[in-house]
PDB file of all heavy atoms in Angstrom:
ATOM      1  N   VAL A 214      -9.524  13.450   8.993  1.00 95.00           N
ATOM      2  CA  VAL A 214      -8.333  13.759   8.200  1.00 95.00           C
ATOM      3  C   VAL A 214      -7.109  13.768   9.096  1.00 95.00           C
ATOM      4  O   VAL A 214      -7.124  14.322  10.202  1.00 95.00           O
ATOM      5  CB  VAL A 214      -8.474  15.120   7.495  1.00 95.00           C
ATOM      6  CG1 VAL A 214      -7.228  15.433   6.672  1.00 95.00           C
ATOM      7  CG2 VAL A 214      -9.717  15.139   6.608  1.00 95.00           C
ATOM      8  N   LEU A 215      -6.036  13.161   8.601  1.00 95.00           N
ATOM      9  CA  LEU A 215      -4.770  13.108   9.318  1.00 95.00           C
ATOM     10  C   LEU A 215      -3.669  13.593   8.387  1.00 95.00           C
ATOM     11  O   LEU A 215      -3.583  13.149   7.236  1.00 95.00           O
ATOM     12  CB  LEU A 215      -4.493  11.677   9.777  1.00 95.00           C
ATOM     13  CG  LEU A 215      -3.214  11.404  10.559  1.00 95.00           C
ATOM     14  CD1 LEU A 215      -3.232  12.151  11.890  1.00 95.00           C
ATOM     15  CD2 LEU A 215      -3.053   9.904  10.794  1.00 95.00           C
ATOM     16  N   GLU A 216      -2.822  14.497   8.839  1.00 96.00           N
ATOM     17  CA  GLU A 216      -1.718  14.995   8.018  1.00 96.00           C
ATOM     18  C   GLU A 216      -0.716  13.880   7.767  1.00 96.00           C
ATOM     19  O   GLU A 216      -0.328  13.152   8.673  1.00 96.00           O
ATOM     20  CB  GLU A 216      -1.013  16.159   8.722  1.00 96.00           C
ATOM     21  CG  GLU A 216       0.176  16.714   7.932  1.00 96.00           C
ATOM     22  CD  GLU A 216       1.012  17.692   8.733  1.00 96.00           C
ATOM     23  OE1 GLU A 216       0.626  18.007   9.885  1.00 96.00           O
ATOM     24  OE2 GLU A 216       2.049  18.133   8.220  1.00 96.00           O
ATOM     25  N   GLY A 217      -0.279  13.752   6.518  1.00 97.00           N
ATOM     26  CA  GLY A 217       0.746  12.770   6.194  1.00 97.00           C
ATOM     27  C   GLY A 217       0.380  11.950   4.977  1.00 97.00           C
ATOM     28  O   GLY A 217      -0.649  12.165   4.325  1.00 97.00           O
ATOM     29  N   ALA A 218       1.246  10.999   4.646  1.00 97.00           N
ATOM     30  CA  ALA A 218       1.048  10.106   3.507  1.00 97.00           C
ATOM     31  C   ALA A 218       1.706   8.769   3.835  1.00 97.00           C
ATOM     32  O   ALA A 218       2.345   8.614   4.879  1.00 97.00           O
ATOM     33  CB  ALA A 218       1.645  10.703   2.241  1.00 97.00           C
ATOM     34  N   LEU A 219       1.547   7.799   2.958  1.00 97.00           N
ATOM     35  CA  LEU A 219       2.157   6.480   3.076  1.00 97.00           C
ATOM     36  C   LEU A 219       1.787   5.766   4.387  1.00 97.00           C
ATOM     37  O   LEU A 219       2.659   5.289   5.117  1.00 97.00           O
ATOM     38  CB  LEU A 219       3.687   6.587   2.961  1.00 97.00           C
ATOM     39  CG  LEU A 219       4.236   7.264   1.708  1.00 97.00           C
ATOM     40  CD1 LEU A 219       5.741   7.431   1.816  1.00 97.00           C
ATOM     41  CD2 LEU A 219       3.882   6.459   0.464  1.00 97.00           C
ATOM     42  N   PRO A 220       0.517   5.648   4.729  1.00 97.00           N
ATOM     43  CA  PRO A 220       0.145   5.001   5.988  1.00 97.00           C
ATOM     44  C   PRO A 220       0.564   3.530   6.030  1.00 97.00           C
ATOM     45  O   PRO A 220       0.468   2.814   5.035  1.00 97.00           O
ATOM     46  CB  PRO A 220      -1.372   5.156   6.018  1.00 97.00           C
ATOM     47  CG  PRO A 220      -1.767   5.251   4.572  1.00 97.00           C
ATOM     48  CD  PRO A 220      -0.656   6.022   3.928  1.00 97.00           C
ATOM     49  N   ALA A 221       1.039   3.106   7.200  1.00 96.00           N
ATOM     50  CA  ALA A 221       1.405   1.703   7.436  1.00 96.00           C
ATOM     51  C   ALA A 221       1.070   1.379   8.881  1.00 96.00           C
ATOM     52  O   ALA A 221       1.098   2.252   9.750  1.00 96.00           O
ATOM     53  CB  ALA A 221       2.897   1.485   7.169  1.00 96.00           C
ATOM     54  N   THR A 222       0.744   0.135   9.162  1.00 95.00           N
ATOM     55  CA  THR A 222       0.445  -0.277  10.529  1.00 95.00           C
ATOM     56  C   THR A 222       1.173  -1.573  10.856  1.00 95.00           C
ATOM     57  O   THR A 222       1.553  -2.331   9.961  1.00 95.00           O
ATOM     58  CB  THR A 222      -1.060  -0.489  10.766  1.00 95.00           C
ATOM     59  OG1 THR A 222      -1.514  -1.581   9.955  1.00 95.00           O
ATOM     60  CG2 THR A 222      -1.856   0.750  10.448  1.00 95.00           C
ATOM     61  N   ASN A 223       1.321  -1.827  12.165  1.00 93.00           N
ATOM     62  CA  ASN A 223       1.894  -3.100  12.607  1.00 93.00           C
ATOM     63  C   ASN A 223       0.996  -3.790  13.633  1.00 93.00           C
ATOM     64  O   ASN A 223       1.447  -4.636  14.387  1.00 93.00           O
ATOM     65  CB  ASN A 223       3.292  -2.897  13.180  1.00 93.00           C
ATOM     66  CG  ASN A 223       3.305  -2.087  14.467  1.00 93.00           C
ATOM     67  OD1 ASN A 223       2.267  -1.602  14.932  1.00 93.00           O
ATOM     68  ND2 ASN A 223       4.484  -1.924  15.047  1.00 93.00           N
ATOM     69  N   GLY A 224      -0.286  -3.421  13.642  1.00 90.00           N
ATOM     70  CA  GLY A 224      -1.219  -4.017  14.573  1.00 90.00           C
ATOM     71  C   GLY A 224      -1.282  -3.308  15.914  1.00 90.00           C
ATOM     72  O   GLY A 224      -2.222  -3.510  16.678  1.00 90.00           O
ATOM     73  N   ARG A 225      -0.294  -2.474  16.196  1.00 93.00           N
ATOM     74  CA  ARG A 225      -0.260  -1.721  17.450  1.00 93.00           C
ATOM     75  C   ARG A 225      -0.212  -0.221  17.223  1.00 93.00           C
ATOM     76  O   ARG A 225      -0.747   0.544  18.002  1.00 93.00           O
ATOM     77  CB  ARG A 225       0.968  -2.135  18.275  1.00 93.00           C
ATOM     78  CG  ARG A 225       0.928  -3.568  18.771  1.00 93.00           C
ATOM     79  CD  ARG A 225       2.204  -3.929  19.496  1.00 93.00           C
ATOM     80  NE  ARG A 225       2.161  -5.303  20.009  1.00 93.00           N
ATOM     81  CZ  ARG A 225       3.202  -5.939  20.516  1.00 93.00           C
ATOM     82  NH1 ARG A 225       4.382  -5.319  20.573  1.00 93.00           N
ATOM     83  NH2 ARG A 225       3.083  -7.179  20.953  1.00 93.00           N
ATOM     84  N   ARG A 226       0.452   0.178  16.150  1.00 95.00           N
ATOM     85  CA  ARG A 226       0.638   1.593  15.876  1.00 95.00           C
ATOM     86  C   ARG A 226       0.437   1.880  14.392  1.00 95.00           C
ATOM     87  O   ARG A 226       0.621   1.007  13.545  1.00 95.00           O
ATOM     88  CB  ARG A 226       2.047   2.046  16.287  1.00 95.00           C
ATOM     89  CG  ARG A 226       2.282   2.052  17.778  1.00 95.00           C
ATOM     90  CD  ARG A 226       3.679   2.582  18.104  1.00 95.00           C
ATOM     91  NE  ARG A 226       4.704   1.581  17.852  1.00 95.00           N
ATOM     92  CZ  ARG A 226       6.007   1.835  17.912  1.00 95.00           C
ATOM     93  NH1 ARG A 226       6.438   3.062  18.157  1.00 95.00           N
ATOM     94  NH2 ARG A 226       6.889   0.877  17.711  1.00 95.00           N
ATOM     95  N   LEU A 227       0.056   3.114  14.108  1.00 97.00           N
ATOM     96  CA  LEU A 227       0.006   3.618  12.739  1.00 97.00           C
ATOM     97  C   LEU A 227       1.276   4.422  12.491  1.00 97.00           C
ATOM     98  O   LEU A 227       1.747   5.153  13.370  1.00 97.00           O
ATOM     99  CB  LEU A 227      -1.209   4.526  12.548  1.00 97.00           C
ATOM    100  CG  LEU A 227      -1.294   5.278  11.209  1.00 97.00           C
ATOM    101  CD1 LEU A 227      -1.724   4.322  10.105  1.00 97.00           C
ATOM    102  CD2 LEU A 227      -2.260   6.451  11.311  1.00 97.00           C
ATOM    103  N   PHE A 228       1.839   4.280  11.299  1.00 98.00           N
ATOM    104  CA  PHE A 228       2.999   5.073  10.899  1.00 98.00           C
ATOM    105  C   PHE A 228       2.628   5.873   9.660  1.00 98.00           C
ATOM    106  O   PHE A 228       1.982   5.347   8.741  1.00 98.00           O
ATOM    107  CB  PHE A 228       4.200   4.181  10.590  1.00 98.00           C
ATOM    108  CG  PHE A 228       4.671   3.363  11.767  1.00 98.00           C
ATOM    109  CD1 PHE A 228       4.157   2.095  12.003  1.00 98.00           C
ATOM    110  CD2 PHE A 228       5.625   3.870  12.638  1.00 98.00           C
ATOM    111  CE1 PHE A 228       4.588   1.334  13.084  1.00 98.00           C
ATOM    112  CE2 PHE A 228       6.066   3.127  13.728  1.00 98.00           C
ATOM    113  CZ  PHE A 228       5.541   1.861  13.953  1.00 98.00           C
TER     114      PHE A 228
END
Side-chain angles (χ1 to χ4, degrees):
V214 180
L215 180 64
E216 179 190 356
L219 304 174
T222 64
N223 66 357
R225 294 176 179 170
R226 291 183 283 172
L227 172 76
F228 299 90

